Amino acid sequence: MQRQKPLVLDVDGTFLKTDLGLECFWNGLGRAPLKTLRATAMHLRDRAGLCRELARIAPPRVDLLPLRPEMAARALEACEAGRPVVLAGGADPGLVAALASHYGFCEEALGAEGAAAPEGGAKARALVERFGRRGFDYAGARAADRPVWREADRALLLGRQHRLAAELSAAGHPVEEIPAGWKLRDLGRALRPHQWVKNVLLLLPALAAHDFRPETLVLVLMGILAFSAAASCIYIVNDLLDLEADRLHETKCRRPFACGKVPIGAGMAAGAALALVALGVGAALGPPFLTVVLLYMALSLAYSLRLKRMRWVDIATLAALYTIRVVAGAAASGGEASFLMLVFVFPVFVTLGCVKRMTELARAETDERLPGRGYGRGDRGDLLNMAGLGVVGALVVFVAYSFSAQAEALYQTRWLLWAAAVPLAVWLVRMVWLGYRGQQDYDPIVFALRDRAGLGLIFFALSFMFYSAGLWQRWFGF
């Protein structure tokens, strides 16, 4: 009986929606950043050696890697028809073999071997040596595999490759084009534009100083633009570092990189472009603001790489990242963020950091520690206590501020400042209670800016403060 032609599937971007080599790189950065960077520098021109070293440092879980459903279905159909199915990729051969073994329908696996990875001509030669010319069908998504399709019988092309399809068809190859690709709106989701609303914190110094001049607002808006770009860059880096943890999460598994809707390479390019925007606008606003942006990005990167896995340190870091936004607002406008203001906002943000973790724990389905975090359900009580301390600390500082020289200069009626502390206290306690019960968004700042009842409380607090400062009278005549 004549052996049927095998179906050979390229791993990266064809059988999988992701790239095994890049998966290893980002998994390594998350687990052992120094080892990964050292290996990358040593094997920069040796892809095969780099693939082997990265797979040794931090191999990804093959059972969590996102499949391309249509190609997995074709592989299953071929297997049921008695055809051999082969995975071919440029990653470590052991990793490709593990992927093949996990799905159980691949007879062979071809990975990076020797001094050169099986890409392009090298892959074509390896396949011809095993199966002969026109002795296999090949499915792939990259134009670099043109030499492989020339040696194959049937060509399955993923994505828009009409010119290559016409070329192969003219050479006598049966060609099938399979729709594939990714959408810009999915990349837009990875930027998390809804999170940019956090950057309204840059307005706090101007608001506290009652500086509403147009030139001040323009400078602060430029600062918000820079921080939005910087934040989106870090969100992309964070998602790439958290691929495995996100795939194990109830809702984060739908993030664009985790589920494979956007290629890792596209995310890396977008992150680099956003970093350039953030640093360019930062430089235009001057050295003080650029320094704050660099500090924010460095601390955010440290948080993504290590600090978010450390109990309590992660919450302090989150609070610091929010506080840095306030400092950035002052640096952008050339104003000043008073010491008491920073001492006030920091415990507020510590409270909100605790709220974030309590929300995650309240929604967790098991008693195990959160993926990629240092907390389990047993920590909810400690988090609640810490949040309570943050509430008390913030209110004490707020009242102390009412006795400061700045408050005396800006506010005419001190008791109205004390009255403003009441809705502020109710808002903070409400946030803590909702977080403890799991009735919040995973990000408390985003939740706060969408919560009508909470916004009403904040409006009452600001109304008392503005009336005390005489702003209502100046603006509205009463």
Side-chain angles (χ1 to χ4, degrees):
M1 179 177 177
Q2 186 177 3
R3 177 183 173 91
Q4 295 194 60
K5 289 181 180 179
L7 172 63
V8 181
L9 301 174
D10 187 25
V11 173
D12 303 320
T14 302
F15 180 67
L16 297 177
K17 289 183 177 181
T18 187
D19 183 290
L20 268 181
L22 293 178
E23 289 273 349
C24 288
F25 174 76
W26 285 100
N27 204 33
L29 273 185
R31 293 186 188 178
L34 294 180
K35 287 184 179 180
T36 300
L37 292 175
R38 189 183 303 116
T40 302
M42 290 178 61
H43 300 279
L44 196 57
R45 298 185 179 182
D46 176 14
R47 179 180 171 87
L50 178 59
C51 288
R52 287 195 302 272
E53 189 63 20
L54 292 178
R56 184 189 66 80
I57 293 172
R61 282 182 53 175
V62 295
D63 61 312
L64 297 178
L65 298 173
L67 301 180
R68 194 173 293 280
E70 61 270 34
M71 298 313 299
R74 285 173 182 261
L76 184 60
E77 290 172 6
C79 188
E80 291 175 347
R83 294 183 63 190
V85 179
V86 179
L87 288 185
D92 175 71
L95 194 56
V96 177
L99 181 66
S101 175
H102 175 73
Y103 288 100
F105 50 67
C106 295
E107 182 178 278
E108 300 182 58
L110 179 66
E113 299 180 59
E119 297 290 336
K123 183 189 292 184
R125 288 190 295 273
L127 290 171
V128 169
E129 183 179 336
R130 294 191 183 197
F131 308 115
R133 296 195 63 188
R134 298 273 183 142
F136 59 95
D137 297 338
Y138 183 73
R142 295 176 291 181
D145 281 340
R146 180 183 274 103
V148 185
W149 277 305
R150 287 173 179 164
E151 300 294 346
D153 183 16
R154 184 178 178 85
L156 289 81
L157 280 67
L158 273 73
R160 297 180 179 179
Q161 303 190 62
H162 304 312
R163 183 177 299 179
L164 178 57
E167 175 188 322
L168 293 171
S169 183
H173 296 273
V175 176
E176 180 181 357
E177 294 185 75
I178 302 171
W182 56 278
K183 299 176 181 178
L184 279 175
R185 70 167 176 263
D186 290 322
L187 178 59
R189 282 177 51 220
L191 304 186
R192 301 184 209 172
H194 64 283
Q195 299 279 8
W196 296 346
V197 72
K198 295 177 184 177
N199 296 321
V200 299
L201 293 171
L202 275 77
L203 289 167
L204 275 182
L207 185 66
H210 305 163
D211 182 0
F212 302 108
R213 294 173 299 167
E215 55 268 32
T216 297
L217 295 179
V218 168
L219 291 172
V220 174
L221 287 175
M222 290 179 64
I224 290 175
L225 171 62
F227 258 73
S228 296
S232 288
C233 170
I234 298 301
Y235 288 140
I236 288 176
V237 172
N238 183 70
D239 284 356
L240 295 178
L241 291 169
D242 269 357
L243 288 171
E244 191 169 293
D246 285 351
R247 288 165 184 158
L248 291 168
H249 196 274
E250 176 186 3
T251 57
K252 294 179 182 179
C253 61
R254 294 191 287 271
R255 286 179 173 174
F257 302 119
C259 70
K261 285 190 174 180
V262 179
I264 292 176
M268 293 169 67
L274 288 164
L276 290 175
V277 170
L279 296 178
V281 176
L285 287 172
F289 183 82
L290 178 60
T291 301
V292 177
V293 171
L294 288 170
L295 174 62
Y296 170 79
M297 295 182 73
L299 187 58
S300 296
L301 185 58
Y303 175 80
S304 295
L305 286 171
R306 184 66 61 186
L307 301 182
K308 66 183 177 183
R309 298 174 177 83
M310 301 171 65
R311 285 162 47 91
W312 307 116
V313 173
D314 66 323
I315 290 175
T317 306
L318 283 174
L321 288 171
Y322 288 132
T323 305
I324 285 173
R325 287 176 165 92
V326 178
V327 176
S333 63
E336 180 182 353
S338 69
F339 174 75
L340 278 176
M341 176 193 290
L342 298 180
V343 174
F344 164 69
V345 297
F346 186 79
V348 170
F349 296 139
V350 167
T351 298
L352 297 181
C354 292
V355 167
K356 178 181 177 69
R357 294 291 174 252
M358 286 191 294
T359 301
E360 293 172 342
L361 291 172
R363 294 187 176 189
E365 297 180 352
T366 69
D367 291 332
E368 297 180 1
R369 293 193 180 278
L370 296 171
R373 301 293 186 268
Y375 301 91
R377 281 184 177 175
D379 296 311
R380 290 178 69 204
D382 290 339
L383 287 165
L384 181 62
N385 292 335
M386 180 62 73
L389 288 174
V391 171
V392 173
L395 294 175
V396 168
V397 174
F398 185 85
V399 173
Y401 169 76
S402 69
F403 292 96
S404 68
Q406 184 185 55
E408 186 175 348
L410 292 175
Y411 298 96
Q412 302 168 5
T413 313
R414 185 171 296 171
W415 71 266
L416 284 174
L417 276 183
W418 301 337
V422 176
L424 179 63
V426 174
W427 175 74
L428 285 169
V429 171
R430 184 173 183 273
M431 289 288 289
V432 172
W433 178 243
L434 291 176
Y436 186 77
R437 298 183 63 182
Q439 296 178 347
Q440 273 205 38
D441 188 272
Y442 283 110
D443 192 309
I445 297 292
V446 174
F447 173 83
L449 293 170
R450 294 176 177 173
D451 176 35
R452 292 182 180 179
L455 288 173
L457 291 167
I458 293 173
F459 174 78
F460 276 120
L462 290 176
S463 295
F464 284 127
M465 296 176 69
F466 287 168
Y467 195 86
S468 174
L471 295 178
W472 279 155
Q473 298 91 322
R474 189 189 315 168
W475 294 341
F476 304 111
F478 63 87

